[in-house]
Amino acid sequence: MDYREKAKELVQQMTLEEKIGMIHGEQLFQTAGVPRLEIPPLKMSDGPMGVRHEFEPAQWKTIGYSDDYVTYLPCNSALAATWNRRLAYEMGEVLGEEARGRGKDVILAPGINIKRSPLCGRNFEYFSEDPYLTKELAAPFVEGVQSCDVAACVKHFALNNQETNRLIVDVEIEEKALRDIYLPAFYDTLIKAKSHSVMGAYNKIRGEHCCQSKYLLEDILRKEWGYDGVVISDWGAVHDTELAANSQLDIEMSVTYDFDQYFMAEPLREKIEKGEIAEEQVDEKVINILVLMMRLHMLGGERKAGAYNTPIHRQRALETARESVVLLKNEKKRLPLKAENVRKLLVIGENAECIHSNGGGSAEIKALYEITPLMGIKTLLGGNTQVHYVKGYCRDEASKESDVNWQEDSLKGEAEKEEDSQKSASKISKGLAEKRKCLRDEAVVLAKEYEQVILIGGLNHEQDSEGNDRSDMKLPYEQDLLIQEVLKTNPDTTVVMTGGSPVEMGEWLSMAHTLVWGWYGGMEGGTALAEVLFGRVNPSGKLPETFYKKHTDCSAHALGEFPGEEKGDYKVHYKESIFVGYRYNDTFEVEPEFCFGHGLSYTEFSYGNARAERVENGVNVFCTITNEGTRKGAESAQVYVTPLHKSKDEPFQELRGFEKVELEPQEAKEVCIFAENVTGEKDIEIRIGSSSRDIRQVVKLAKW
Ligand code: BGC
């Protein structure tokens, strides 16, 4: 008998109360099981960078166990910067194995929303501004997770592209943009990679809340795509018993403790008993949940045990971190630094020693350890180099403290949040400006004395954080001033930025010869960064998103709306349509600071002999790539497609394929890159290059 048939039989043996128990949270991260029928509860956990620590079942309070420290993985933006499908699978596998090792059934990851604006506070949890790159990496990630008998829960379906007013914002979007930009990665992860579950988003689409949306959940997800997995609500994203019960949502989760009062709990039971809602609606949901349980071998059969904190997991986190580092600028070829020649080194900047794993919102975890950049540098250099560290800048410690868990407060309206933030702003410590000036002066004086200086700044989870968007891309804590002054004093300073989203660099970029971008690199992020700086690893990361000069150069701001109406219907109109990320900048000729796909290496690659061959559903593009230098390296060759006679609503070019190739010095390899969705309806130009704006070979194809 197949799973669905078996599930139908089981449902017939269940009471209404038992069924209702399975479709809503009876703890913050768990539904009820049916012990009588040996059906276990469903145990869930965040999140994308590792398995989150344990909470009290009915309180947003960390229990404080000593056994829930885990492997801390690079954030999804970092993973996307590797452009490496194998690593994406392996990261998923690590996460799945750790989740299973911690006894979980559903891991609430990966986050795959498209980065519509660089200001979105959760961008670090997401992959890219590009649907193709996102799906190419998110799909293997899901397969990796699920190879461990754990369900992935792809989130947040759909259009969860901002945090401001996230519970009520109502997205107005053209169908084409929805289909071409925002849905493809969901289709691939849910249908092709068969993610066992999906999380509905908080926001609305065209007036309907996503978790109750007929259009999204029924018309598209179930009917059009034929999805047969479980739809779980975001925590507190359900608003109406009838709408939710009659929608294709299967499980309601929330942040409050009155579990029996959830919309799909007692209120639903009452309505069913009164005959206002059909019991079959609940049966359908329970069947989906039981099928998921069978797929994970939760109802019998052999189930993998998983494992967490294994040396292999740490090794994999390190490999991904290494490939995620992006060398943005190396003008005088000052990088890599030579470890042997460095006797004295000055490291400046709070991000050199900042711990990030414990922040960001629901993606926070208790990392087994976290190698900071400073620790990475020191362990690499050893005892013969004197490393002097100064902070250079600092955040405001006083604004941080709060007794309440943010998630407990997360259903609060923006007005209340604003009040809270004003309260904490009023706490901003006195003398902060003075303190920052002292730190800056100290750093500048030292920068003059040291020949070798590395400045490590950027963002932290005060900016890259769930529940809030940034208001611009400026560096916080007066870092611009610090970087300028240090560069004036010591122009050879190596500048390193770490963070989850791009920052404005205009005030000092022309003064810096070297610039490295480091993301939130996971527990071995600092090791990887040091290895890149000192040449143990040749960088191969490429930007998975446009680094704008300022946020107003991004289409959501230039053409569209962000964050949309601040009252009334809270509409946000995605007027930029499909012109998201580089699709806008390339079409409308808006110069970015660093373009999509950009990333340098310590060696040089040349491209030659490009040709294209038509195959089913696309084109195979062949190209010979040669490592012209003396160091081994890896190159992500990218294929963009441009229509030759472009209509107004078509972007200048779109990424359709890529392959990462590793080459020994002087080695040449012919790579075959499959460019998908090339249908032959139009004359096109196939552009092959090292970034979206560094195109090395062009092949024209007449329509066929
Ligand atoms: C987030 C989800 C997360 C859930 C549970 C929500 O606030 O949007 O991504 O999985 O909380 O912590």
Side-chain angles (χ1 to χ4, degrees):
M1 213 192 304
D2 82 351
Y3 288 163
R4 202 152 283 273
E5 288 307 312
K6 263 197 222 162
K8 281 184 189 159
E9 274 194 4
L10 258 178
V11 168
Q12 277 163 19
Q13 302 169 44
M14 292 167 64
T15 65
L16 177 59
E17 209 173 334
E18 286 169 340
K19 290 189 263 188
I20 297 261
M22 289 183 66
I23 64 166
H24 71 88
E26 64 135 19
Q27 297 186 7
L28 290 173
F29 287 99
Q30 189 170 312
T31 57
V34 185
R36 187 176 67 81
L37 298 171
E38 291 180 6
I39 298 171
L42 202 59
K43 296 186 180 141
M44 314 179 200
S45 176
D46 286 302
M49 302 193 292
V51 187
R52 201 176 180 187
H53 47 265
E54 299 297 333
F55 282 89
E56 295 284 355
Q59 231 184 323
W60 285 106
K61 206 168 149 232
T62 309
I63 299 186
Y65 288 138
S66 61
D67 60 7
D68 55 359
Y69 291 87
V70 292
T71 301
Y72 167 35
L73 301 173
C75 68
N76 280 341
S77 308
L79 176 57
T82 69
W83 294 59
N84 186 328
R85 297 175 180 93
R86 175 183 56 82
L87 289 179
Y89 180 89
E90 288 177 3
M91 284 298 89
E93 194 177 33
V94 170
L95 188 62
E97 207 164 86
E98 296 242 333
R100 193 72 276 281
R102 285 267 309 277
K104 306 299 176 194
D105 306 310
V106 180
I107 181 83
L108 307 171
I112 64 164
N113 293 103
I114 292 294
K115 300 188 188 198
R116 175 174 178 252
S117 155
L119 303 186
C120 172
R122 290 187 88 172
N123 275 354
F124 71 99
E125 291 188 59
Y126 305 144
F127 288 80
S128 173
E129 68 190 23
D130 182 75
Y132 177 76
L133 183 59
T134 303
K135 76 190 180 66
E136 286 300 298
L137 299 171
F141 187 98
V142 165
E143 285 165 353
V145 168
Q146 298 196 156
S147 69
C148 305
D149 287 347
V150 168
C153 185
V154 174
K155 64 194 190 183
H156 310 84
F157 188 62
L159 302 169
N160 191 171
N161 308 109
Q162 66 184 64
E163 293 299 290
T164 312
N165 298 318
R166 68 174 175 167
L167 303 177
I168 40 176
V169 65
D170 185 2
V171 178
E172 284 298 331
I173 184 172
E174 246 172 50
E175 197 60 19
K176 185 171 165 52
L178 176 69
R179 301 288 178 155
D180 291 0
I181 305 289
Y182 296 95
L183 292 186
F186 283 102
Y187 181 81
D188 273 38
T189 47
L190 296 175
I191 305 304
K192 292 194 183 159
K194 298 189 170 34
S195 177
H196 297 317
S197 69
V198 55
M199 186 187 294
Y202 278 126
N203 50 280
K204 296 179 182 174
I205 166 172
R206 300 174 189 149
E208 280 186 308
H209 271 287
C210 287
C211 286
Q212 309 164 163
S213 161
K214 179 174 179 306
Y215 186 57
L216 267 189
L217 301 185
E218 188 175 325
D219 299 350
I220 296 183
L221 184 65
R222 297 285 195 212
K223 291 197 175 140
E224 197 181 311
W225 296 357
Y227 183 64
D228 66 356
V230 171
V231 183
I232 302 173
S233 79
D234 201 340
W235 271 231
V238 174
H239 299 267
D240 183 279
T241 298
E242 208 151 321
L243 288 176
N246 291 328
S247 79
Q248 289 297 321
L249 178 80
D250 297 307
I251 300 179
E252 179 195 4
M253 299 301 289
S254 190
V255 296
T256 55
Y257 314 141
D258 51 349
F259 304 105
D260 287 343
Q261 291 314 311
Y262 282 16
F263 293 96
M264 295 217 302
E266 276 301 292
L268 173 58
R269 193 177 60 84
E270 282 162 23
K271 280 188 184 281
I272 291 177
E273 279 167 357
K274 281 192 210 145
E276 290 167 17
I277 294 174
E279 189 165 343
E280 289 74 47
Q281 296 293 348
V282 177
D283 292 355
E284 282 305 313
K285 300 180 196 308
V286 175
I287 291 168
N288 288 336
I289 298 165
L290 289 169
V291 169
L292 173 139
M293 289 181 165
M294 289 183 228
R295 286 175 172 157
L296 301 178
H297 313 297
M298 291 172 67
L299 303 183
E302 225 162 275
R303 189 174 188 196
K304 291 185 181 157
Y308 62 114
N309 293 324
T310 70
I312 291 181
H313 292 179
R314 298 193 277 280
Q315 182 60 28
R316 291 199 164 162
L318 174 59
E319 281 164 21
T320 300
R322 282 176 177 148
E323 289 198 28
S324 74
V325 176
V326 186
L327 178 60
L328 290 174
K329 200 171 173 187
N330 195 15
E331 261 175 19
K332 297 195 172 168
K333 302 260 184 287
R334 287 197 44 85
L335 287 183
L337 304 170
K338 288 185 191 55
E340 317 77 64
N341 303 351
V342 184
R343 287 288 157 261
K344 275 172 71 192
L345 170 73
L346 175 67
V347 177
I348 304 172
E350 197 182 65
N351 265 2
E353 58 154 11
C354 182
I355 295 289
H356 299 288
S357 48
N358 56 3
S362 58
E364 66 178 355
I365 54 166
K366 272 163 63 178
L368 183 63
Y369 62 79
E370 179 175 346
I371 306 284
T372 61
L374 184 61
M375 173 118 78
I377 290 169
K378 282 191 161 183
T379 52
L380 185 142
L381 291 176
N384 292 340
T385 309
Q386 181 218 328
V387 179
H388 188 70
Y389 169 70
V390 290
K391 238 177 151 80
Y393 70 92
C394 67
R395 70 182 81 185
D396 181 21
E397 293 296 331
S399 67
K400 260 199 327 200
E401 58 198 67
S402 157
D403 304 332
V404 188
N405 171 287
W406 69 273
Q407 219 155 359
E408 186 171 345
D409 265 5
S410 62
L411 299 186
K412 270 189 184 171
E414 288 298 312
E416 274 171 282
K417 276 207 251 162
E418 178 62 21
E419 221 172 84
D420 289 354
S421 88
Q422 271 170 11
K423 266 188 224 150
S424 68
S426 72
K427 276 200 229 148
I428 290 213
S429 45
K430 291 207 192 83
L432 184 63
E434 230 167 89
K435 187 171 165 197
R436 287 192 179 141
K437 183 165 184 327
C438 282
L439 290 175
R440 196 162 55 235
D441 290 349
E442 176 191 34
V444 172
V445 167
L446 284 167
K448 196 178 269 173
E449 291 169 18
Y450 279 74
E451 217 175 293
Q452 298 282 7
V453 182
I454 303 177
L455 191 155
I456 306 180
L459 305 176
N460 60 44
H461 287 305
E462 282 192 354
Q463 298 82 36
D464 286 315
S465 161
E466 183 172 342
N468 293 297
D469 297 318
R470 291 185 292 167
S471 49
D472 54 41
M473 282 171 45
K474 289 200 191 316
L475 275 168
Y477 322 128
E478 300 175 40
Q479 287 183 72
D480 281 328
L481 206 54
L482 169 75
I483 303 172
Q484 270 174 303
E485 288 189 10
V486 168
L487 281 171
K488 257 188 236 155
T489 320
N490 190 331
D492 287 338
T493 299
T494 298
V495 182
V496 178
M497 292 279 114
T498 61
S501 353
V503 295
E504 279 184 31
M505 304 176 190
E507 290 194 31
W508 45 264
L509 189 60
S510 61
M511 298 162 71
H513 318 307
T514 40
L515 178 62
V516 175
W517 187 270
W519 313 107
Y520 299 115
M523 68 202 305
E524 291 287 352
T527 312
L529 191 60
E531 288 175 338
V532 166
L533 293 174
F534 290 95
R536 302 272 168 93
V537 164
N538 190 353
S540 65
K542 300 265 189 188
L543 291 182
E545 61 188 291
T546 304
F547 274 27
Y548 306 97
K549 290 194 157 99
K550 46 191 185 334
H551 73 274
T552 45
D553 292 343
C554 157
S555 60
H557 303 271
L559 304 178
E561 298 172 347
F562 187 101
E565 293 168 10
E566 290 289 355
K567 52 183 185 317
D569 295 335
Y570 292 90
K571 290 262 181 217
V572 55
H573 296 90
Y574 285 22
K575 290 186 202 155
E576 72 284 5
S577 183
I578 52 113
F579 294 102
V580 176
Y582 68 88
R583 284 171 171 73
Y584 165 72
N585 294 71
D586 295 348
T587 313
F588 293 79
E589 292 173 12
V590 179
E591 201 52 38
E593 199 68 270
F594 295 103
C595 71
F596 179 81
H598 172 72
L600 305 170
S601 164
Y602 294 149
T603 185
E604 297 283 332
F605 299 100
S606 68
Y607 287 60
N609 305 329
R611 63 195 166 87
E613 235 172 50
R614 291 177 228 149
V615 288
E616 207 183 322
N617 296 328
V619 178
N620 276 338
V621 181
F622 297 88
C623 183
T624 304
I625 301 178
T626 310
N627 180 350
E628 303 287 357
T630 52
R631 263 171 193 274
K632 184 178 162 179
E635 170 76 336
S636 288
Q638 304 157 36
V639 169
Y640 296 85
V641 173
T642 294
L644 277 180
H645 315 284
K646 208 174 73 61
S647 68
K648 218 169 77 256
D649 56 358
E650 275 178 314
F652 170 69
Q653 60 177 358
E654 286 183 298
L655 181 74
R656 292 287 173 80
F658 65 87
E659 285 303 328
K660 191 163 188 170
V661 51
E662 243 186 58
L663 294 167
E664 296 294 331
Q666 301 301 313
E667 192 190 1
K669 264 190 203 161
E670 187 181 60
V671 289
C672 170
I673 306 171
F674 175 66
E676 69 164 35
N677 276 337
V678 182
T679 55
E681 279 164 27
K682 290 182 171 180
D683 301 337
I684 53 163
E685 196 171 85
I686 295 176
R687 299 155 57 81
I688 308 137
S690 181
S691 83
S692 59
R693 287 178 175 233
D694 183 4
I695 299 298
R696 309 285 186 83
Q697 297 269 292
V698 174
V699 181
K700 287 195 168 65
L701 269 190
K703 64 178 169 201
W704 64 89

